[in-house]
Amino acid sequence: MATTLVLLGHPERRSFNGAWADASARAARDLGHEVLFSAPHDEGFDAAEGPAHYTDPPSPFDPLKAQEGTLPADVAREAARLRAADRLIVHFPMWWFAPPAMIKGWTDRVLAHGHLHDVDNRFDTGRFKRLEVLFCVTTGARANESGPDGREGNWQMLLWPLAQTFRYLGATVKAPVAVHGVHGYHTGAAQEALQARLSDTLARQAGLIAGWNDRANLSFNADSDFDASGRLRPDAPSHSPFIRQPG
Ligand SMILES: Cc1cc2nc3c(=O)[nH]c(=O)nc-3n(C[C@H](O)[C@H](O)[C@H](O)COP(=O)(O)O)c2cc1C
């Protein structure tokens, strides 16, 4: 049986992000998947890596070396969920042009060095070849502000560091999904229109999850696209301005 892990990066379970995550869980269950649900805020997960998490941390504290040892219980629990997963669906709002600290901290701590990756097991040789990842994101900004040429910055580009994180693990990353203009300051007709859009998003989530295999994957460079020093070869394709600036 396939396993889907839903990871919710929102402090309020009754938020739209919470409801959307529940819709993903329901949709995966309807497909016959075993569903695991991580809500690190509700589970008291501390997003900040540091020596307090370890019984015998290296001194001075070296996070990579600390992670190679026995995993803290909360990290071991999350890592076990991730290892069990065929699919990971991450739900979060954009906060300051990036995923919230809880999602960043979850990756900082859970994707532990020496356990989930190391220098011999990353990118093309990552341990998570089986894993497929989907980001479901909300922005407070409107679609035009959040898209190409938008003043908030292109939301898909803002997600590249998180996508690259899972690519580093060897996973496949699906084209992300966003709902824009989500905030509690609408009134009257605008509020009703937003509620209708949000309800529609929840109603369509089953179809989106059922269509998983038809959803495009993000493109990343293969290991062989880089020379021995780690530079992209001049004739290699460019998939991200984070690696090769256009022009
Ligand atoms: C700390 C913080 C930072 C935010 N930064 C952004 C941002 O950079 N871009 C944006 O579009 N919205 C931003 N917002 C708005 C949230 O994205 C928006 O409130 C959220 O998507 C609504 O989803 P929810 O109803 O599930 O909380 C921010 C909100 C907070 C609380």
Side-chain angles (χ1 to χ4, degrees):
M1 186 200 286
T3 298
T4 291
L5 171 61
V6 178
L7 172 62
L8 172 61
H10 197 293
E12 174 56 69
R13 206 61 196 71
R14 293 164 298 176
S15 61
F16 173 68
N17 271 274
W20 201 9
D22 286 337
S24 285
R26 266 196 310 277
R29 233 173 257 122
D30 288 349
L31 289 181
H33 286 206
E34 179 173 350
V35 173
L36 306 172
F37 199 103
S38 277
H41 282 280
D42 296 345
E43 294 174 291
F45 187 87
D46 179 1
E49 178 61 300
H53 294 300
Y54 299 90
T55 46
D56 188 20
S59 179
F61 183 64
D62 181 330
L64 290 176
K65 290 181 182 160
Q67 291 183 355
E68 289 167 5
T70 305
L71 295 176
D74 55 354
V75 168
R77 178 194 68 220
E78 296 299 312
R81 288 171 174 168
L82 189 62
R83 283 194 177 108
D86 302 283
R87 294 179 179 178
L88 168 66
I89 309 174
V90 193
H91 284 266
F92 57 90
M94 291 304 277
W95 280 6
W96 291 118
F97 316 105
M102 183 57 90
I103 293 297
K104 180 63 167 68
W106 189 94
T107 60
D108 291 349
R109 294 192 58 220
V110 175
L111 309 182
H113 183 240
H115 294 270
L116 279 71
H117 66 92
D118 55 55
V119 283
D120 296 324
N121 295 283
R122 56 181 179 161
F123 295 116
D124 281 356
T125 53
R127 293 185 197 275
F128 284 80
K129 286 245 178 276
R130 195 182 72 170
L131 183 68
E132 298 187 317
V133 184
L134 174 68
F135 306 139
C136 293
V137 177
T138 60
T139 72
R142 292 166 292 174
N144 278 354
E145 295 170 307
S146 308
D149 293 346
R151 68 175 166 190
E152 299 263 335
N154 183 332
W155 68 278
Q156 306 217 37
M157 283 183 64
L158 299 178
L159 293 179
W160 190 84
L162 187 62
Q164 172 82 336
T165 300
F166 287 101
R167 158 67 184 150
Y168 191 94
L169 293 188
T172 297
V173 184
K174 310 298 284 184
V177 189
V179 183
H180 302 287
V182 185
H183 58 75
Y185 295 97
H186 296 286
T187 54
Q191 188 186 16
E192 282 169 27
L194 173 63
Q195 281 312 320
R197 277 200 301 126
L198 298 184
S199 299
D200 186 53
T201 300
L202 299 182
R204 283 188 291 109
Q205 193 66 2
L208 191 139
I209 300 304
W212 183 281
N213 291 333
D214 297 329
R215 191 164 192 85
N217 299 331
L218 298 186
S219 297
F220 295 92
N221 285 103
D223 288 354
S224 56
D225 289 342
F226 298 92
D227 67 20
S229 77
R231 261 186 109 80
L232 191 62
R233 297 181 194 283
D235 58 344
S238 172
H239 298 300
S240 168
F242 278 89
I243 289 183
R244 176 175 288 150
Q245 295 287 321

